[in-house]
Amino acid sequence: MADTEQSILALAARFVTAIENADIDEIKACYAEDARIWHNFDNVEQTVDENLKVLRWMVRVLHDRKYNVSRRHVIPGGYVQQHVLSGKRTNGEAFAMPACLIVTVKDGRITRLEEYLDPAQASTLTAA
């Protein structure tokens, strides 16, 4: 299956919507089985199952999640996305965190996701 600009952008939108809706099965379906997820703050590659565990935690501690995408561009083999993840922490306080994704796509699924964010901002989710 050839990945077109249209199919890559559709996958990007599908992935964000699945996270916003806490649809773990749909998130998993966006990933290739052997995908790897890397974060700038720990330089560790996660498996899909490890990443889904983090996302399950996030949907418990961040309500009304919204990805406010400011940029999303198709690049050779994937896409780059800049966004602000916003929502409400469990104590009701507003949360907003800018981040950037570099995503590799093959055969309509995410094979690698590199996420750049400020861990100090992310840590406020555990403080609520």
Side-chain angles (χ1 to χ4, degrees):
M1 166 190 196
D3 295 306
T4 65
E5 183 172 337
Q6 183 178 4
S7 70
I8 289 170
L9 291 173
L11 174 64
R14 179 179 158 209
F15 184 66
V16 164
T17 299
I19 296 172
E20 289 176 340
N21 294 332
D23 188 340
I24 300 298
D25 291 336
E26 183 68 9
I27 296 166
K28 186 173 184 173
C30 291
Y31 282 128
E33 191 174 308
D34 60 348
R36 292 294 178 259
I37 298 87
W38 174 90
H39 299 97
N40 66 298
F41 56 86
D42 62 7
N43 202 29
V44 172
E45 288 188 352
Q46 292 179 323
T47 65
V48 171
D49 287 337
E50 290 167 336
N51 183 250
L52 293 176
K53 182 178 177 182
V54 172
L55 290 173
R56 282 184 188 98
W57 168 82
M58 186 185 75
V59 301
R60 284 194 313 269
V61 300
L62 184 62
H63 304 268
D64 302 324
R65 286 164 308 287
K66 176 75 178 146
Y67 279 84
N68 303 292
V69 178
S70 54
R71 291 186 184 126
R72 184 184 286 151
H73 300 286
V74 173
I75 59 173
Y79 67 95
V80 175
Q81 174 178 299
Q82 183 180 2
H83 62 262
V84 175
L85 172 61
S86 63
K88 291 195 191 282
R89 295 170 24 183
T90 55
N91 65 3
E93 291 180 7
F95 173 85
M97 179 181 66
C100 180
L101 303 178
I102 300 174
V103 181
T104 304
V105 174
K106 185 175 179 190
D107 298 328
R109 297 177 82 188
I110 296 168
T111 59
R112 182 171 181 83
L113 185 147
E114 298 175 356
E115 185 172 30
Y116 295 84
L117 56 86
D118 180 352
Q121 288 177 308
S123 70
T124 65
L125 288 175
T126 60

